[in-house]
Amino acid sequence: MVLSFLALSACSRDFLDITPDGRTTLEEIFQDEKRTEAYLNRVYGSMPSYFWKYGFFDFLAPFSDEAYAYSGAALGWAAGMLTPTINPLHTPQERGKGVYHWGTFWAGIRDANVFLANVETANIPSPTNRERFRGEARLLRAFYFWELIKEYGPMPIVTEPFANDYDYTTLTRPTFEECVNFIASECDIVIGNSNLPMRITTEAERGRFTRAVAYAIKSQALLYNASPLWNPGNDKGRWTRAAEAAKQGVDALTAQGYALVGDYSNYFLSKTDISSAPGDRETIYEVHEPQIDPVFSIINSIPSKPGMFKVGATPTQELVDSYEMQATGEPVILGYQDEEHTQPIYNPASGYDPANPYVGRDPRFYATVWYNGAAYDNIGGEIHLMETYVGGADQLLVAPLGWAFTRTGYYLRKFIDPKLQSGQPEDTRWKKYRLAELYLNLAEAENEANGPTGLAYSAINTVRSRVHMPDLPQNLTQEQFRQRVRNERRVELAFEEQRFWDVRRWKILDQTDKLVTGMEITKEADHSFSYKRFVTEYRALWADKNLLMPIPLTDASIIPDFDLHQNPGY
């Protein structure tokens, strides 16, 4: 029996939403086989839009130090417009759904609870399907709860549908660890449910949760629980538990055929192929949301075709600085001499040449960033060498108005297929979880628990070797390894909605989010180039209170528990 995910919006958000008026009762829904399946579709329906659907065709990246975007949402964020009544991340979007995360995630939890309360007696003829549906709903509830507390901090653990006369004043706020323990326990139950597959192998089931997703959610939740934001005493036991969960996930998935894809650059240019022997063996979960407007595709609408009416999120100099040299495997810079990041401290061991800044870098740099001199394969049907220097065809734009050109000196390459006139394949999906993240979770947690052990080195070097980067040197201290694994996450997972949350859980927001810089390039008479760093944007949201999002004012007032009433600083 197959769930029809194409019917997600057309079906489950139609007759199922008329329950309150008495025309269709929950009992009637769950006594009908098709409506029962449709209600599970409804639970999936609270999956929000990710990818390029923040603000007006923005990634989450410009809300961190990965990128700059000249758009209302990103500019509002930089200006400090984050309050319990205004959140630039949750502004209405033309092509996204579930933008109001607070309500969206609670709705998903509610619908999952309703389904789980009725699944035992529901009309599901196949016992196998019943247990699979139960596992999916349980995992969806854990997913929504995890996304909720990652953004807003610990929340009441609700596992039953609310009755109409429920007394909300009885709700209290648990600790973050108690919430994570619940999520991990739910994931363990799903992992033990053999009726859920480890991988989706038929196209009709695309978008359904698997046991592999449970490993990914558990690993991420335990990693965050061990991180400085939620582990101020640096309890090593939490790191050990996070390392064990990540290793459990890596071992289980690789035993079932999961592996890193060979071509990092092309990995992000299409949706996962669904079969029993897929070419893409890395993706754990891909959000099943087709392009809402395939003609007005991602590249034509924003992220980075030079000269289009809106260039979108452009990589920052800070992101560019994070890519190491391939020959030596050494960082290019060791930090900055000034608070404005215009005077880098170059690493003499790296082999980096400031006069040729884009030569010999980590291959992931070339897969992620278009820079001055980079080849864009299809501008007007011809190969175009990027000209981001002053006066060039793709030059830096510093005027107060205009959206067509870069504001940092760079353009986004990741997710863009330069061989297509439209720039991005229409069927590209957002890869929410992938195996590389589990390896990096393992490297980080193992180092924090036990120092840079062979297990920590093996995990991070597996990710580096995929792109032919040298192994990390064997004599690193725990602190040195910590900095290297944090940088590895930055380059491997660039623009994948990890950095925004990583700098918060590490509590380094005040080090990363005060400003971002760009590169102004001048072409000299002898055709060489000179390079000048400059501040692109100063930002206001870097205080400790910005480590969490404020609970929306109208919702915070419902529950009188003082700790739940609002997050600190708001």
Side-chain angles (χ1 to χ4, degrees):
M1 188 175 296
V2 175
L3 290 175
S4 173
F5 281 84
L6 294 178
L8 186 72
S9 59
C11 179
S12 67
R13 290 299 185 185
D14 183 6
F15 66 82
L16 289 177
D17 277 348
I18 67 174
T19 301
D21 69 9
R23 287 184 286 158
T24 304
T25 66
L26 285 174
E27 182 179 1
E28 290 172 329
I29 289 170
F30 287 102
Q31 288 307 307
D32 182 283
E33 183 179 359
K34 293 184 181 296
R35 288 182 171 185
T36 296
E37 293 181 18
Y39 203 97
L40 183 56
N41 273 359
R42 174 187 176 117
V43 184
Y44 276 99
S46 286
M47 184 77 63
S49 297
Y50 295 101
F51 208 1
W52 48 272
K53 297 179 179 179
Y54 291 85
F56 182 69
F57 289 93
D58 277 338
F59 292 87
L60 189 59
F63 297 86
S64 74
D65 63 348
E66 290 182 307
Y68 169 86
Y70 187 72
S71 69
L75 293 175
W77 182 268
M81 296 174 60
L82 177 62
T83 70
T85 56
I86 300 174
N87 188 333
L89 280 176
H90 300 163
T91 55
Q93 302 169 25
E94 293 182 3
R95 291 169 173 78
K97 67 183 181 68
V99 60
Y100 181 58
H101 284 177
W102 174 269
T104 296
F105 295 141
W106 276 122
I109 293 168
R110 175 203 64 207
D111 290 338
N113 283 338
V114 169
F115 187 87
L116 289 168
N118 289 275
V119 66
E120 187 62 36
T121 57
N123 183 8
I124 306 174
S126 166
T128 298
N129 281 344
R130 187 185 306 277
E131 290 308 308
R132 180 175 181 179
F133 295 170
R134 191 198 309 272
E136 288 181 50
R138 186 184 295 274
L139 188 54
L140 281 162
R141 181 175 64 185
F143 168 79
Y144 292 132
F145 193 55
W146 169 235
E147 292 287 282
L148 180 73
I149 70 168
K150 182 170 72 173
E151 188 164 344
Y152 297 101
M155 289 291 144
I157 299 171
V158 180
T159 59
E160 300 290 338
F162 287 130
N164 292 334
D165 59 352
Y166 186 83
D167 182 6
Y168 292 93
T169 64
T170 63
L171 291 175
T172 58
R173 196 172 195 180
T175 65
F176 190 81
E177 184 170 29
E178 287 171 332
C179 293
V180 168
N181 286 343
F182 167 73
I183 292 166
S185 176
E186 293 291 283
C187 289
D188 283 339
I189 292 173
V190 173
I191 288 169
N193 185 342
S194 61
N195 294 289
L196 270 74
M198 281 290 284
R199 182 195 299 281
I200 297 301
T201 58
T202 61
E203 183 64 32
E205 295 187 348
R206 180 185 290 274
R208 293 180 69 170
F209 270 11
T210 64
R211 279 183 289 148
V213 176
Y215 286 108
I217 294 173
K218 178 182 177 182
S219 174
Q220 191 177 98
L222 288 172
L223 182 74
Y224 277 55
N225 185 56
S227 298
L229 176 61
W230 300 112
N231 187 18
N234 197 28
D235 178 358
K236 296 294 184 182
R238 296 194 192 186
W239 285 112
T240 297
R241 192 177 174 204
E244 290 172 348
K247 187 175 187 303
Q248 178 192 32
V250 168
D251 290 348
L253 269 63
T254 54
Q256 292 292 319
Y258 281 84
L260 302 184
V261 300
D263 188 345
Y264 179 89
S265 181
N266 288 323
Y267 172 59
F268 303 97
L269 301 185
S270 64
K271 65 182 179 182
T272 299
D273 56 317
I274 300 292
S275 73
S276 57
D280 173 9
R281 295 188 292 154
E282 179 169 352
T283 301
I284 296 172
Y285 186 72
E286 190 174 67
V287 176
H288 183 68
E289 184 182 11
Q291 294 283 0
I292 296 173
D293 187 349
V295 176
F296 197 54
S297 69
I298 182 174
I299 184 61
N300 283 331
S301 57
I302 294 191
S304 74
K305 196 168 185 178
M308 296 307 294
F309 84 92
K310 190 177 191 301
V311 71
T314 55
T316 62
Q317 186 61 46
E318 283 79 7
L319 177 62
V320 172
D321 285 343
S322 67
Y323 291 93
E324 301 170 356
M325 297 298 290
Q326 185 174 24
T328 62
E330 285 287 324
V332 166
I333 68 168
L334 302 176
Y336 303 96
Q337 301 178 53
D338 63 327
E339 292 185 357
E340 296 193 331
H341 298 179
T342 60
Q343 300 176 46
I345 303 171
Y346 293 115
N347 179 8
S350 70
Y352 175 74
D353 179 6
N356 294 285
Y358 311 126
V359 175
R361 306 294 286 274
D362 183 326
R364 289 169 292 191
F365 168 70
Y366 305 107
T368 306
V369 179
W370 267 312
Y371 54 92
N372 189 55
Y376 192 122
D377 292 3
N378 199 339
I379 296 284
E382 299 179 356
I383 293 179
H384 170 72
L385 296 182
M386 300 291 291
E387 299 178 355
T388 63
Y389 57 83
V390 175
D394 317 301
Q395 65 181 315
L396 183 77
L397 179 66
V398 295
L401 297 175
W403 289 353
F405 294 93
T406 176
R407 297 300 183 90
T408 63
Y410 303 101
Y411 292 87
L412 178 63
R413 165 68 173 82
K414 197 170 186 177
F415 311 113
I416 308 302
D417 188 346
K419 294 180 174 60
L420 297 180
Q421 188 67 29
S422 63
Q424 189 224 15
E426 295 175 5
D427 63 354
T428 300
R429 303 290 189 269
W430 181 250
K431 302 180 192 305
K432 178 65 174 173
Y433 299 113
R434 58 188 182 95
L435 184 61
E437 181 190 347
L438 279 177
Y439 277 115
L440 295 174
N441 292 353
L442 175 55
E444 179 181 352
E446 174 66 13
N447 178 62
E448 297 296 342
N450 302 306
T453 63
L455 178 60
Y457 270 102
S458 176
I460 194 171
N461 288 335
T462 297
V463 175
R464 292 171 67 84
S465 65
R466 181 250 293 275
V467 291
H468 308 292
M469 285 295 290
D471 289 351
L472 293 185
Q474 285 292 319
N475 59 347
L476 296 178
T477 66
Q478 184 181 51
E479 171 60 27
Q480 289 171 332
F481 193 96
R482 177 183 299 130
Q483 296 308 316
R484 295 300 292 268
V485 75
R486 287 184 177 185
N487 193 73
E488 195 69 24
R489 288 183 69 90
R490 186 174 195 176
V491 299
E492 172 68 25
L493 305 173
F495 278 79
E496 294 181 53
E497 301 194 13
Q498 297 282 353
R499 180 71 175 174
F500 181 89
W501 303 110
D502 279 345
V503 298
R504 284 168 168 75
R505 68 180 177 88
W506 292 329
K507 291 195 72 174
I508 61 171
L509 197 62
D510 60 340
Q511 302 171 39
T512 61
D513 279 50
K514 288 185 176 181
L515 56 86
V516 292
T517 61
M519 184 70 80
E520 181 180 329
I521 305 174
T522 302
K523 189 173 185 178
E524 306 295 345
D526 62 357
H527 299 290
S528 64
F529 296 99
S530 60
Y531 303 88
K532 179 184 177 182
R533 294 165 182 255
F534 68 97
V535 175
T536 302
E537 181 179 59
Y538 293 94
R539 295 177 172 175
L541 296 178
W542 50 266
D544 278 354
K545 74 173 187 176
N546 305 130
L547 297 171
L548 292 175
M549 299 300 103
I551 299 172
L553 186 61
T554 55
D555 297 281
S557 63
I558 294 175
I559 304 170
D561 185 303
F562 178 80
D563 291 330
L564 182 59
H565 197 68
Q566 188 50 267
N567 282 329
Y570 296 102

